[in-house]
Amino acid sequence: MDLEPEFAGIRALHPPTLDNSRDKTFGFLCGSMGGPDHYISRFGHPRLRARHLPFAVASAEPDQWLHCMAWAMEDIGIDEALRERLLTSFFDTAADWMRNRPG
Ligand code: HEM
């Protein structure tokens, strides 16, 4: 998000430094993909839609988020088939579910 102007919209919704966001996202994804439940043990039930309600998520934001995630996964060398599967059977649904504003 910090690297590309294309992601400026969603970047602006986040805090000035992304360490905490990165840490929480890692903890959540680790647990949701079958690893240790770091997020739940620290913060309780994710309630992700509720936790995103203070931030305006219409239709541009999920697109940016998905593109950013696709890019990040490619950047760190995740196998293409796995990337594709995560995007189409998990991240796209999750990102769409986070929409909380019209437009
Ligand atoms: C659809 C577009 C999305 C936008 C614009 C967005 C934006 C944000 C923002 C602004 C925060 C609060 C700042 C922070 O804690 O970093 C946040 C938190 C978080 N997001 Fe997202 N997000 C989106 C989608 C997702 C999706 C699809 C996931 C999971 C698959 C996710 C996982 C998380 C997690 C785990 C947190 C931390 C929640 C907490 O404990 O406060 N986000 N997101």
Side-chain angles (χ1 to χ4, degrees), residues 10 13-14 21 24 28 39 48 51-52 55 62 65 94-95 98:
I10 55 169
L13 298 174
H14 289 78
S21 313
K24 284 181 161 180
F28 171 76
Y39 183 94
L48 276 194
R51 290 189 203 261
H52 284 75
F55 311 103
W65 192 96
M98 241 51 95

Side-chain angles (χ1 to χ4, degrees), residues 27-28 31-32 36-47 51:
F28 171 76
S32 60
D37 248 328
H38 299 302
Y39 183 94
I40 290 179
S41 61
R42 287 168 63 200
F43 307 110
H45 191 286
R47 298 184 301 107
R51 290 189 203 261

Side-chain angles (χ1 to χ4, degrees), residues 6-7 10 57-71 87 91-92 94-96 98-99 103:
E6 180 190 346
F7 307 133
I10 55 169
V57 181
S59 54
E61 288 76 15
D63 287 350
Q64 283 182 30
W65 192 96
L66 284 168
H67 193 185
C68 188
M69 180 58 86
W71 193 321
L87 283 171
F91 289 135
D92 60 350
D96 193 50
M98 241 51 95
R99 288 175 63 167

Side-chain angles (χ1 to χ4, degrees), residues 11-29:
R11 178 64 188 90
L13 298 174
H14 289 78
T17 57
L18 290 175
D19 295 350
N20 194 41
S21 313
R22 193 175 289 115
D23 191 43
K24 284 181 161 180
T25 304
F26 166 76
F28 171 76
L29 292 179

